[in-house]
Each structure stands twice: as structure tokens, then as C-alpha cells.
């Protein structure tokens, strides 16, 4: 027994170091073989609504994942999008919106590829996904983003009547995600400024967009409407040509006849009038001169500002495509839809902005530098002026203003009044008289009167400065 014990003890002692080395080697090998990294794309994966998306994910270094657990989930680990475990797909506990709708592509499992396929992409599929892989107690994961985009219907262009001496053309399209970029173009691809733009989100959370433009006979009659998805960098475009007969015309023969009759009767009337008034001419000449001078003096006194106000612009009312300066003294058309809250005070169709200041009494005056802006309007608006949808830019709509539009200077009466000025003003002085209920526009360059809305035109309510711009900036002068 002693010898046996000695021999057994000696044998055990000789085997123990080898067993320890073997166990340590196997453990280290197993530990090393279990280490891997899960890798996904850095950039978002883009998918089109209704089509399929494949979210790539693989192991590095390349090794078989056939016997590992592969779990795809969104925000909660337990509620999974797809689960592969024990060599097969598991569906107990799968998120209801992905039930039997996902597939782990297994062709590359032995090479460490574990991509997820999602058919029939929906808007709710957009967001972050976790690719989680585990072997025994070792696991790794990566996070990737799925971005969903939708191409809408082909733009539908329609002519919807005459307005402001031109043709009112509207372009509509639906089914876009996210908000599309909308452009009018001429035959040479140059951008044409739109007069209004409305974007609505339907019951399916997709965007419906409507944009409008006025085409005159002097402008380009070939035009196209283009909707662009900025994520997919794809667009849909429709074009049309407006023929000359669509533009309002006057019969030239009737015009010539009317002119001849007017000239004939005018000549007869003028001859009779000259004979009757010949003896009173000198007296009338002096009286007219005196009355004109007195009226000029009274007018200048009536519009002389009692208070020169320092007007600033209210950013809460500015259309999302308008860009205000930091000092809120200037505004310009930015062209791109800015991420701004759609509060009740904000204009959402017309490119308008109100001043912060409001007036209910007294006389007030401020100046607006229009410079070489292409399209603009300057004036005042009633405090509860309409902000949403189409706005009537006239006293009936609560706006009293003058504008420069397609090379014409006009007062925004109803209908508009053409102002045949000798030159285009660079700076306009707006004079508001709350007591008389009138507003006067003056060319600051030579102090000549441009236009006056008559006394009593403006109701006794709070009145605010109002600007509309489509192009380079307008600036409120100190």
C-alpha cells in the first residue's frame, strides 16, 4: 500500500502540471475564439416606402454565426424585431408591427454576415436598430439608422383663371416623405419665383403640396413644376405651355373705333369749352395755382410724422421661407423651407412678415429700403389679418400696401391701381395716421407722394407694419 500510494502519488504529481497547462490552453483558446466585433454601416440606410430594405451587419473577424444568438431590436431588448437562436428563427415575443414580416438572411451566416431584410417598408419603420450577437457569455452590438423616403405622384399642373393681369397656374402633388423641395422652372431650367406654397400632412402622414404662380404674356410661357425628394435625390416633373389665346385680350378693331369716337367727341367738346372759357382763363389759372399750393401745404402737414418709430420685425409671424437678420431689421426670401413651429401667428402661404409694433392712435412714420429687390410689397396690416391659406392682399383682406411686381409699380387696391412713376423708389416712407384712418406712401429720395389710401380706409383697430418679399432683402431704416 505504501508503494502503491507512493507510485500513485508520484504519477499524479507528474500529470498535474500537464493537466493545468492543457486546461489553461483550452480556456485561453476558447476565450480568444469568442472575441469579435459587430460592425454596421456608419451612414443611414435609405429605403423607399413600399419597397424592401436590407440592414447590413457582420462580425469581425469573419467567423461563423450559425450557432450564435442574433437579435435585432429597436429601443427595448426584450421586444425584438427579429430573433435567431438555436439555429432557427424565434417568433415568441416579436414586436406586433414586425410579426412574420422580417427575415434574417442566412446565406452568409458561416462568414459572419447577419443582415436583416424588411419588406414593404412603412413610415413607422424609420429610426434606429440594434444588431446584437452573442456566443456563450460574450456579446457585442452595433447601432444603425434606417431612413425612410417616399416619392409622390407626378405633379398635376392646372390653370385656374386670371389674376393681376396674368394667368393663375397651380401645381399639386401628394404622397411625399419627407417634405419635398418644390421648384418652378422655365424652358432653360431657370427658377421662377412662386407666389404661394402650401404643405399639408395627410392621414397617412405623407405630405401633400400645392404651389402657385402667375404667368403673364411678357414672361416665359413655357414652364415646368418640379418636386424633389432631397434624401433620394430623385424628382418628378411636369411641364406645360400656355398659348397666347389664354391671355386676356381686347379686340383691336373695337379699340380703334372707340379711340376714334373718343377723340372726335373730345375735340368737339374741347372746342366748345375753349370758346366758353376764354374770358375766364387768366382768373382760373391763378385760382388753380393758389388751390394747388394750399392743398400741397395741407397735405404735407397731414402726413408730417409726429413720431418716427423704430420698427422691428416679428419672427413669430414670418413665413418659413423668409430669413430675418439678427437685429430683426431686414428680411429676405431664403428659398428653402426652414424648420419653424407652425404657430397661429405665422403666415404659411404668402411670404409675409409683420412688425412687432402696433398702433391704435396718433401719427407714425417709418422707412423701408427696397433697393433693387425684384418682387416686394410694403404697407400696413390690421392686427387680426388672416395668416393661414390664401390671403387677399387688399383693404378687404386687411392690408394697405404698394408693391413692385413684374416691372410694374402698383397700389394693392381692389382691383389694383397702376402707379406710373418716373422712377422706381429705392426707399419708401410709410406714414400712418390712426386719427384720420389713412396711410400715405412717400418716395424718400425726393419727398414725392406715391399713393394715399383715403381717410377712413383703415378701421380704428390695432395696425402693424407689413412686408412681403420674394427676392433680395428689404431693410427697415433707422
Amino acid at each position: 500500500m505504501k508503494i502503491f500510494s507512493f507510485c500513485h502519488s508520484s504519477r499524479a504529481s507528474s500529470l498535474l502540471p500537464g493537466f493545468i497547462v492543457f486546461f489553461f490552453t483550452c480556456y485561453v483558446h476558447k476565450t480568444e475564439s469568442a472575441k469579435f466585433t459587430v460592425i454596421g454601416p456608419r451612414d443611414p440606410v435609405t429605403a423607399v416606402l413600399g419597397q424592401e430594405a436590407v440592414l447590413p451587419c457582420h462580425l469581425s473577424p469573419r467567423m461563423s454565426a450559425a450557432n450564435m444568438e442574433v437579435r435585432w431590436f429597436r429601443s427595448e431588448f426584450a421586444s425584438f424585431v427579429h430573433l435567431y437562436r438555436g439555429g432557427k428563427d424565434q417568433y415568441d415575443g416579436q414586436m406586433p408591427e414586425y410579426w412574420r414580416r422580417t427575415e434574417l438572411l442566412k446565406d452568409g451566416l458561416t462568414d459572419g454576415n447577419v443582415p436583416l431584410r424588411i419588406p414593404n417598408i412603412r413610415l413607422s419603420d424609420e429610426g434606429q436598430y440594434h444588431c446584437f450577437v452573442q456566443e456563450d457569455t460574450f456579446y457585442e452590438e452595433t447601432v444603425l439608422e434606417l431612413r425612410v423616403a417616399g416619392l409622390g405622384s407626378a405633379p398635376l399642373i392646372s390653370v385656374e383663371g386670371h389674376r393681376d393681369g396674368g394667368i393663375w397656374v397651380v401645381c399639386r402633388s401628394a404622397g411625399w416623405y419627407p417634405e419635398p423641395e418644390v421648384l418652378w422652372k422655365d424652358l432653360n431650367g431657370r427658377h421662377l419665383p412662386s407666389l404661394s406654397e402650401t404643405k399639408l400632412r395627410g392621414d397617412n402622414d405623407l405630405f401633400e403640396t400645392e404651389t402657385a404662380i402667375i404667368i403673364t404674356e411678357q414672361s416665359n410661357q413655357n414652364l415646368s413644376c418640379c418636386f424633389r425628394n432631397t434624401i433620394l435625390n430623385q424628382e418628378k416633373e411636369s411641364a406645360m405651355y400656355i398659348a397666347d389665346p389664354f391671355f386676356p385680350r381686347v379686340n383691336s378693331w373695337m379699340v380703334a373705333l372707340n379711340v376714334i369716337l373718343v377723340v372726335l367727341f373730345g375735340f368737339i367738346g374741347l372746342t366748345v369749352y375753349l370758346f366758353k372759357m376764354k374770358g375766364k382763363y387768366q382768373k382760373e389759372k391763378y385760382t388753380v395755382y393758389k388751390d394747388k399750393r394750399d392743398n400741397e401745404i395741407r397735405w404735407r402737414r397731414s402726413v408730417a410724422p409726429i413720431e418716427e418709430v423704430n420698427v422691428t420685425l416679428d419672427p413669430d409671424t414670418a413665413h418659413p421661407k423668409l430669413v430675418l437678420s439678427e437685429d430683426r431689421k431686414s428680411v429676405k426670401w431664403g428659398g428653402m423651407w426652414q424648420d419653424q413651429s407652425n404657430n397661429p401667428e405665422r403666415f404659411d402661404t404668402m411670404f409675409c412678415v409683420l412688425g412687432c409694433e402696433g398702433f391704435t392712435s396718433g401719427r407714425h412714420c417709418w422707412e423701408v429700403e427696397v433697393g433693387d429687390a425684384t418682387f416686394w410689397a410694403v404697407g400696413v396690416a390690421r392686427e387680426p389679418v388672416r395668416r393661414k391659406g390664401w390671403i387677399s392682399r387688399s383693404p378687404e383682406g386687411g392690408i394697405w400696401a404698394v408693391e413692385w411686381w413684374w416691372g410694374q409699380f402698383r397700389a394693392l387696391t381692389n382691383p389694383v391701381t397702376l402707379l406710373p412713376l418716373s422712377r422706381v423708389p429705392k426707399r419708401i416712407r410709410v406714414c400712418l395716421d390712426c386719427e384720420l384712418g389713412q396711410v400715405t406712401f412717400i418716395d424718400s429720395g425726393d419727398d414725392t407722394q406715391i399713393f394715399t389710401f383715403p381717410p377712413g380706409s383703415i378701421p380704428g383697430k390695432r395696425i402693424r407694419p407689413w412686408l412681403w418679399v420674394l427676392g433680395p432683402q428689404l431693410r427697415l431704416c433707422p
Side-chain angles (χ1 to χ4, degrees):
M1 290 298 295
K2 289 182 180 181
I3 296 173
F4 176 78
S5 298
F6 174 79
C7 293
H8 180 273
S9 177
S10 300
R11 184 180 180 185
S13 299
S14 61
L15 292 176
L16 183 58
F19 177 79
I20 293 174
V21 172
F22 173 80
F23 174 81
F24 181 78
T25 302
C26 292
Y27 177 81
V28 170
H29 176 72
K30 181 178 181 181
T31 303
E32 290 295 329
S33 64
K35 289 184 178 180
F36 55 82
T37 302
V38 179
I39 298 177
R42 294 182 179 180
D43 298 326
V45 178
T46 301
V48 180
L49 282 170
Q51 300 183 14
E52 72 169 30
V54 176
L55 305 182
C57 183
H58 68 272
L59 304 182
S60 180
R62 298 286 185 176
M63 62 181 66
S64 176
N67 297 320
M68 299 183 185
E69 175 183 323
V70 180
R71 179 186 297 261
W72 285 88
F73 64 95
R74 300 291 297 269
S75 57
E76 298 182 7
F77 182 84
S79 299
F80 56 84
V81 175
H82 193 94
L83 177 61
Y84 172 85
R85 184 168 57 194
K88 61 181 181 179
D89 296 318
Q90 308 291 331
Y91 296 101
D92 291 338
Q94 189 178 25
M95 297 176 68
E97 55 266 38
Y98 296 99
W99 175 254
R100 300 281 181 176
R101 194 164 69 92
T102 58
E103 178 187 2
L104 186 72
L105 301 181
K106 303 178 179 65
D107 291 343
L109 269 178
T110 55
D111 294 327
N113 292 316
V114 289
L116 179 69
R117 174 181 172 270
I118 306 177
N120 191 20
I121 287 295
R122 310 166 183 171
L123 278 181
S124 58
D125 295 333
E126 188 173 61
Q128 289 188 341
Y129 288 78
H130 295 252
C131 177
F132 174 93
V133 182
Q134 180 175 358
E135 183 182 31
D136 296 332
T137 60
F138 182 82
Y139 62 87
E140 283 286 345
E141 69 174 322
T142 188
V143 180
L144 58 152
E145 182 179 356
L146 175 63
R147 185 176 295 172
V148 177
L151 284 173
S153 60
L156 175 63
I157 303 179
S158 60
V159 175
E160 302 194 359
H162 298 92
R163 182 173 298 178
D164 294 341
I167 296 179
W168 183 253
V169 183
V170 178
C171 181
R172 301 179 178 91
S173 183
W176 293 86
Y177 186 84
E179 293 183 13
E181 180 183 358
V182 185
L183 297 173
W184 288 98
K185 301 178 183 178
D186 62 13
L187 189 62
N188 298 320
R190 292 189 296 263
H191 293 176
L192 302 174
S194 62
L195 189 62
S196 67
E197 187 173 309
T198 303
K199 294 181 181 179
L200 301 175
R201 200 158 186 174
D203 296 336
N204 55 3
D205 285 335
L206 301 180
F207 286 95
E208 303 174 9
T209 303
E210 175 182 303
T211 181
I213 192 173
I214 292 180
I215 299 298
T216 62
E217 193 171 7
Q218 292 74 27
S219 62
N220 200 312
Q221 297 172 218
N222 292 280
L223 75 157
S224 65
C225 178
C226 175
F227 284 69
R228 175 186 292 272
N229 187 302
T230 55
I231 294 179
L232 299 174
N233 198 26
Q234 297 183 32
E235 61 185 34
K236 291 189 176 182
E237 185 173 7
S238 296
M240 72 176 300
Y241 173 76
I242 301 178
D244 291 342
F246 283 94
F247 292 94
R249 293 186 179 277
V250 179
N251 190 300
S252 58
W253 183 85
M254 291 299 297
V255 172
L257 178 61
N258 289 334
V259 170
I260 292 173
L261 292 176
V262 169
V263 171
L264 179 60
F265 285 108
F267 178 76
I268 296 173
L270 180 61
T271 303
V272 174
Y273 175 80
L274 289 176
F275 275 107
K276 288 184 177 181
M277 302 302 295
K278 184 177 181 180
K280 301 179 181 180
Y281 176 72
Q282 293 298 331
K283 183 178 178 180
E284 288 287 336
K285 182 177 180 181
Y286 174 77
T287 302
V288 170
Y289 170 79
K290 184 177 182 296
D291 291 342
K292 182 177 180 181
R293 183 192 62 187
D294 293 341
N295 290 336
E296 179 75 6
I297 293 173
R298 282 195 298 270
W299 171 77
R300 289 194 176 274
R301 287 177 178 174
S302 68
V303 300
I306 291 180
E307 180 185 6
E308 294 185 357
V309 292
N310 183 22
V311 176
T312 56
L313 300 176
D314 185 359
D316 291 334
T317 64
H319 186 279
K321 281 196 174 183
L322 296 184
V323 180
L324 272 61
S325 61
E326 292 185 3
D327 60 359
R328 299 181 183 177
K329 299 291 289 183
S330 64
V331 58
K332 65 179 181 179
W333 186 74
M336 297 297 294
W337 197 276
Q338 301 180 77
D339 186 15
Q340 294 178 342
S341 60
N342 187 20
N343 55 61
E345 294 79 21
R346 189 178 306 283
F347 292 94
D348 68 349
T349 302
M350 306 294 289
F351 306 127
C352 309
V353 61
L354 293 176
C356 294
E357 295 73 16
F359 312 104
T360 57
S361 61
R363 297 177 189 167
H364 310 277
C365 179
W366 61 91
E367 292 189 355
V368 182
E369 184 177 324
V370 297
D372 297 322
T374 310
F375 304 94
W376 53 263
V378 173
V380 297
R382 189 172 50 215
E383 171 66 43
V385 67
R386 185 176 178 182
R387 316 291 174 88
K388 308 300 181 185
W390 174 252
I391 301 170
S392 175
R393 301 185 306 157
S394 65
E396 288 77 9
I399 295 173
W400 296 262
V402 294
E403 75 166 5
W404 177 255
W405 175 259
W406 288 111
Q408 292 181 336
F409 198 52
R410 313 185 299 183
L412 295 182
T413 54
N414 189 11
V416 296
T417 301
L418 294 180
L419 303 175
L421 300 182
S422 59
R423 67 186 186 90
V424 181
K426 299 297 183 181
R427 181 181 291 194
I428 294 179
R429 185 182 309 141
V430 183
C431 298
L432 172 66
D433 191 329
C434 296
E435 311 302 331
L436 292 180
Q438 75 174 17
V439 60
T440 299
F441 301 90
I442 301 173
D443 185 348
S444 299
D446 54 11
D447 285 335
T448 57
Q449 181 185 10
I450 298 174
F451 185 80
T452 297
F453 286 87
S457 300
I458 303 177
K461 295 183 180 180
R462 191 167 187 259
I463 303 298
R464 298 172 66 177
W466 175 87
L467 299 177
W468 177 89
V469 61
L470 187 60
Q473 71 175 7
L474 305 182
R475 181 160 185 83
L476 295 164
C477 306

